[in-house]
Each structure stands twice: as structure tokens, then as C-alpha cells.
Amino acid sequence: MEFSWPWEYDFPPFFTLQPNLDTQKKQLEAWRKLVIDYCHHNKIFVLDVQESIPLFQNKTIDRQLSSEGIKRVLEILQENNQIEWCDKSKKQCFVYWKTPQEWGNLIYCYIIDKGMTNTVCTFYELTEGDDVKNEEFAGLDKSMLLKALETLEASKKAEVIMFGGSEGVKFF
Amino acid sequence: MDRLYFKDKNDCSKEITSYSHTTWKGIRLYDGDSKTEYRSETAYLTPSRLYFSSNDRPAMNMVLDLKCIVLVEEEEGSILRSSKIILHLLPHVSEQHSKPYTRSSASFIKLAFSNGGLSNFKICIQKPLLERAWEKHTESSSTSHSVAFQDMKNLIDMAKDMVQLASVMSSKIKDRHGDISDDETVKFKSYLLSLGIEDPVTRNACSSSNMFCQHLAKEITTFLLTPISDSGGFMSLSDAYCRVNRARGFELLSPEDFFQACNYMEQLNLPLTCRKFESGVLVLQLQSETNSQLEKDTESLLQARRKLTAFEVSQELGITIILAAECLYTMERKGVLCRDDTVRGLVFYHNEFSSRT
């Protein structure tokens, strides 16, 4: 399904960082939502800032958000805990269109549904297996999965283990 | 006596004839207190020299340069001795001329007037000593100095008259405050300004008692009311200034006077007022005219076109680009408009961020 761009995307001023702060606030809010929705739709778990340029430009109207503008948008996302920088270089970030907790809960509910507690699953099974094809967490980025499982570990609902050279998890 | 020297009579005659108007006969010369052989000299006084001639010396006169004289005194006589004039002299300086006395120990000479005229002589000798004409004949730069100072002196004398005239006029104006028409005052001030003289009447900052500023404010308003109304209720201060001065012709206003007068308008409840935009641009605007009319017009324009540049606004509404831009910025600040800023230029849209959420 084609991603449906918001009305702002075709509005030229959307790509100019507004000097009026009230207006800017609204503008940045629209950008925040756009980034999250876009990543959600395209199942983007990790965003590379450089490669994200297409998101911040609209070739149809020949407009592009400045690097200053992009910076501001990412700042807003971080303030909302919707992104997390992978490292200090700030070249890549995790995009939490679902938070690790939300992922954790989703996975755990699935496990409960399937009665798979007290069994061990590999990471592969959880994310790439045929059984999970229709689940939201299918194709989940490994780093994201680990974060999700860490939250479950914290609430004693799971435990990450290594066995036979693979990584797996046991649910309780 | 060693300061006197001999000079050929022919060389002296021209000077004596031109300058010497009084003669003293029967003069006896003393070297210090001692009598000399020169007892019957005729003295001639010129601006630079004292000549002594005698029939005993048909060819030569004796000359004393007046610049040697340091002091002139009168020695009072008694029964036995006549009154004398004492001429105290500068020390001897070696000269080329032949002299009656090569060396003398006395630093003064005395003149006895057996034929009278001592008092007259005493008076007459003061003038050349004061005027020191010999200094004018030297070729040193002191000549040009005195000439230059002479010019300066003349200039100062002339200026004195002008300054006096100016202050007389000023006080007349002050006294007749209000009776003299302000146009005359303006004329007078412009004359003074052209002379480089500051007029005390307008020098003070505009105070409530300053009629000139008040009158000027009214005059500007009357003149500019129609043009400003026609151009959207605004005019930049520089445009206003140019227009007013062009109309006045030669009675030009200084920028300071104009600015002060404009700042006065609000106080006088005139229909125009001076206003400063955030960017620093100064305008004269119609008092009744808040921004609303201009903004309303811009708003209507935007409805029709969906987006606007300052240039388009200035063209359509007949106002300057500066004012058009200021209007757009103001509307942006109010959140009515938002901007699209690219290399192609600055364009304004309705603030759909607000209106569409």
C-alpha cells in the first residue's frame, strides 16, 4: 500500500523552518508525525540521517527541508523519546514508532496466545519464521528485538540465552 | 655714544624729507654724563632713525637707529643744569659704519635742548618706538606674520559685526516671540545656517514651548496628509522628508528638525504619526490607520492569489516595497501568514498550519 503523505507535504512553507515560533511548533509537530508514520508504514526501525533525505524533500514541488530543519525535527523526536541515537556520531537512530516496551508486550502476548511459555525460541523464529509472518513484529530489527526482550527480562517475563551458537529467548 | 654712526647726507635726505616733520635745533650730545664735542646738532626724527646734522659736518650726518633705544627718560634740570633727555641704549654691536666714538663705557646718551623742544621731543619719540617700523623692513618671516595677523584681525573684526547682528536678531525674535511669523524665523535660520552660525532658537531640543517644532509638525501634516492617504496610509520617513523639502524650495529643513517635528505629531493629536517598525524602518502613518486596512488589503490579495511576494503587494497596493515587506512580516508575526523561503525568493502563504489543524 502506498504511503499517504499528509497535506503539509505538498505545502511549500512546510519545508522552510518558520521564524514565528508558534507556527514553527505546529510545523515541527507535523514533521514528527510524518517521520513516525512514514517509518511505521515502511517498517523502518533504524533511520540513517544522510539517507533519510528523501523523506525530507518533495521533488514534485521542488522543496527540501534544510539541514537545520532536519536537525530540529530529530531533536523534537528525541525529546519525545521517539528516536534514540545509535551512537555519539548521531548518524543513525532507532525509530520508536513502537517503543521497546510495546514491542515486548506484543511479542509476549503472541507467546501467551500460542502457549509457547517455558519454551525457547530463537531470534530468527521470532522475527523471520513463517508463523510470525502476519505479526507486526515480523521483520523486527535485531537490535530492536533485543531492546524489547530486555524490557521483558526486567519484568521477569523472559530470559535471553545462548544455545548452540544461536541466540534465543525463553518466556515464562 | 658708540651706537651712533656716520652716514652720507645724500643717503639720508630722502628719508628725512619723507618722514621728518619736526626738527630740533641746538641739541648737545652727552656720552653718558660726559659732554661731547657735538653741541649744536639739529635732530631729525624718522620712524626708524634719529638723525643729527650740523654745519660743521657738511657731508655727513650722525645716525642713531631707534631700535637701539631701550628706554627714554627725562632728567630734571636745576638752576645750574638744564633738563635733558636720556636715551638708554642696547649694548654695542660691531658694525661696518664709521663712528664718532668707537668705544664708549656708557650705556646711555643724553640730549640737551638749548633751543627748547624737549617736551615735544619726548612726546614725538614715543610713536616710532611703539610702532617699531624697523621690524617691517626686515626680510624675516616676521613680516609675513604681521601681514597674516593683519588679515586675521580684519576677519575677526568683520565676524564680530556678524555675530553681533545675529545675536541682536535672536534677541529680537525672543522678545517678539510669536509676533514674527515663523516663516521669517525659518528664513533667518536658513541664512544663519548658510553662514555656519548656529541659531540658538532651534538649538534646543524640541520642548513644549518650541513654536517652531509645533508649527513645522502641523505644516508637514497638512502637506503630506493626502499623499499618505493615497499611498495606503504609510510613507517612509525618508520619502516624506524629500517631498517636504522639495515643496519648500529653498527654505529647507534639516533632517533633525524634520524628525523632531514628526515625533511631535502624536503629542499634538495630529492625524499623522511617526512610527518605527521592528526592523528599524521609520514611517509616517495615518493615525486613524492602524495596520488593519493595509493588512485587510493584503489579506484580500492573498485570497485571490494563494501566495504573495513583497513585490506583488507593493505593485498591487501602490506602496513601497519596504512597506509591503513590513506589512507581510507583521502579519507573519501575528501568525496570519507563514513563509516559503527558497533561493528563488521569499513568498508568503496563509498560515495553514494553524487553520487546518
Side-chain angles (χ1 to χ4, degrees):
Chain A
M1 202 174 80
E2 189 67 38
F3 177 68
S4 82
W5 297 92
W7 69 265
E8 290 98 340
Y9 193 66
D10 293 313
F11 187 49
F14 192 48
F15 295 85
T16 301
L17 192 60
Q18 295 296 315
N20 179 321
L21 290 178
D22 288 334
T23 313
Q24 190 188 97
K25 208 169 158 187
K26 295 190 173 105
Q27 177 193 24
L28 291 173
E29 175 58 28
W31 272 110
R32 188 195 63 77
K33 197 163 176 303
L34 172 56
V35 170
I36 293 299
D37 289 348
Y38 181 83
C39 290
H40 189 157
H41 187 268
N42 294 305
K43 289 218 167 173
I44 296 171
F45 299 101
V46 178
L47 192 65
D48 183 299
V49 180
Q50 270 308 107
E51 287 174 17
S52 70
I53 300 296
L55 172 59
F56 295 109
Q57 74 182 175
N58 182 345
K59 291 211 164 112
T60 321
I61 58 167
D62 192 18
R63 293 287 186 278
Q64 185 178 311
L65 192 61
S66 66
S67 47
E68 174 68 28
I70 295 172
K71 196 171 152 206
R72 286 291 293 132
V73 173
L74 295 172
E75 271 172 19
I76 292 289
L77 284 164
Q78 188 176 19
E79 279 166 28
N80 278 296
N81 294 315
Q82 286 180 309
I83 60 163
E84 190 184 326
W85 292 109
C86 297
D87 53 42
K88 280 195 180 138
S89 67
K90 291 200 178 182
K91 288 188 178 147
Q92 290 183 331
C93 59
F94 292 110
V95 185
Y96 296 150
W97 38 275
K98 274 202 190 335
T99 64
Q101 280 90 340
E102 284 167 342
W103 286 122
N105 286 335
L106 258 178
I107 291 169
Y108 192 69
C109 287
Y110 170 81
I111 295 291
I112 296 284
D113 269 349
K114 300 284 179 183
M116 284 167 73
T117 50
N118 289 311
T119 61
V120 176
C121 308
T122 63
F123 285 1
Y124 185 81
E125 281 173 326
L126 267 179
T127 58
E128 309 292 335
D130 289 334
D131 297 334
V132 298
K133 244 192 327 206
N134 295 320
E135 299 301 320
E136 269 196 274
F137 52 83
L140 187 63
D141 175 85
K142 187 178 159 195
S143 318
M144 192 67 90
L145 176 62
L146 264 172
K147 284 181 184 286
L149 294 176
E150 276 163 22
T151 66
L152 288 177
E153 278 188 320
S155 52
K156 307 257 192 275
K157 289 178 179 168
E159 191 187 331
V160 175
I161 48 183
M162 284 283 286
F163 66 94
S166 327
E167 292 159 303
V169 55
K170 188 177 178 185
F171 296 95
F172 304 108
Chain B
M1 271 298 285
D2 54 358
R3 297 297 267 134
L4 282 92
Y5 57 94
F6 288 122
K7 197 168 175 185
D8 197 285
K9 260 190 186 167
N10 296 329
D11 293 339
C12 313
S13 59
K14 193 179 175 195
E15 193 182 332
I16 290 171
T17 326
S18 310
Y19 294 108
S20 178
H21 306 294
T22 325
T23 56
W24 292 268
K25 291 194 164 115
I27 296 205
R28 185 176 201 139
L29 291 169
Y30 289 75
D31 175 32
D33 288 322
S34 322
K35 286 181 188 171
T36 67
E37 64 194 90
Y38 307 105
R39 354 173 164 160
S40 189
E41 300 291 318
T42 305
Y44 301 93
L45 188 61
T46 72
S48 310
R49 293 175 192 84
L50 187 57
Y51 287 100
F52 297 103
S53 78
S54 170
N55 295 330
D56 297 339
R57 287 187 317 278
M60 304 290 263
N61 281 337
M62 274 199 305
V63 191
L64 176 67
D65 290 332
L66 292 181
K67 64 185 180 193
C68 305
I69 300 174
V70 173
L71 181 67
V72 176
E73 268 186 335
E74 186 180 337
E75 185 190 63
E76 283 215 5
S78 57
I79 295 171
L80 296 173
R81 291 159 61 153
S82 60
S83 303
K84 294 182 187 59
I85 290 285
I86 308 176
L87 298 177
H88 294 271
L89 303 175
L90 286 171
H92 161 80
V93 169
S94 71
E95 287 147 2
Q96 304 288 59
H97 316 279
S98 57
K99 295 193 222 189
Y101 281 68
T102 43
R103 290 291 299 166
S104 170
S105 54
S107 64
F108 60 93
I109 60 169
K110 290 198 217 179
L111 307 177
F113 293 75
S114 54
N115 274 18
L118 181 143
S119 313
N120 194 27
F121 179 87
K122 194 177 165 195
I123 292 166
C124 287
I125 200 167
Q126 297 302 330
K127 190 161 183 269
L129 288 179
L130 270 172
E131 284 181 350
R132 306 185 76 81
W134 51 88
E135 284 178 2
K136 290 185 186 156
H137 296 149
T138 63
E139 270 149 42
S140 69
S141 59
S142 60
T143 314
S144 56
H145 282 168
S146 50
V147 166
F149 281 125
Q150 195 56 42
D151 286 345
M152 177 89 122
K153 195 169 168 296
N154 292 339
L155 212 68
I156 289 169
D157 289 339
M158 267 173 61
K160 247 186 244 164
D161 293 338
M162 288 229 276
V163 168
Q164 204 169 2
L165 175 67
S167 53
V168 162
M169 286 297 299
S170 278
S171 50
K172 263 197 192 156
I173 288 171
K174 273 195 186 123
D175 293 341
R176 293 175 58 193
H177 196 61
D179 288 354
I180 292 185
S181 88
D182 288 293
D183 258 355
E184 280 177 51
T185 316
V186 170
K187 221 183 221 170
F188 174 60
K189 270 196 287 281
S190 65
Y191 292 154
L192 289 182
L193 277 173
S194 67
L195 291 170
I197 299 171
E198 286 169 340
D199 178 28
V201 176
T202 54
R203 243 202 122 190
N204 303 324
C206 228
S207 62
S208 57
S209 61
N210 195 318
M211 288 266 302
F212 175 66
C213 251
Q214 286 185 27
H215 178 84
L216 201 55
K218 286 176 196 157
E219 185 187 303
I220 294 169
T221 307
T222 315
F223 179 68
L224 289 176
L225 197 55
T226 321
I228 289 182
S229 306
D230 291 344
S231 68
F234 292 87
M235 186 180 285
S236 71
L237 214 66
S238 47
D239 284 350
Y241 175 70
C242 290
R243 283 199 192 216
V244 167
N245 262 348
R246 203 184 307 148
R248 283 173 79 93
F250 57 87
E251 298 174 7
L252 300 184
L253 298 169
S254 72
E256 292 80 26
D257 285 341
F258 183 78
F259 185 60
Q260 279 177 3
C262 287
N263 285 327
Y264 226 67
M265 288 173 178
E266 201 166 340
Q267 204 172 333
L268 296 171
N269 283 320
L270 293 170
L272 288 182
T273 183
C274 183
R275 206 188 118 196
K276 190 175 185 179
F277 282 117
E278 253 181 64
S279 58
V281 169
L282 287 163
V283 295
L284 277 183
Q285 71 174 66
L286 286 179
Q287 188 73 284
S288 59
E289 186 70 48
T290 49
N291 292 333
S292 57
Q293 190 52 50
L294 192 59
E295 284 175 23
K296 278 191 193 130
D297 295 340
T298 309
E299 180 71 43
S300 331
L301 205 58
L302 193 57
Q303 299 278 18
R305 298 191 183 202
R306 207 202 152 207
K307 57 188 169 100
L308 281 179
T309 62
F311 179 72
E312 286 164 357
V313 173
S314 78
Q315 291 286 92
E316 289 300 315
L317 300 185
I319 58 176
T320 63
I321 285 206
I322 293 175
L323 280 178
E326 280 300 338
C327 180
L328 291 169
Y329 295 144
T330 309
M331 290 170 81
E332 182 189 40
R333 268 192 295 277
K334 286 184 179 177
V336 175
L337 301 179
C338 61
R339 66 168 63 188
D340 169 34
D341 197 353
T342 61
V343 290
R344 271 175 243 95
L346 185 57
V347 182
F348 288 88
Y349 291 73
H350 268 125
N351 185 359
E352 295 186 28
F353 296 110
S354 297
S355 55
R356 282 176 74 160
T357 46

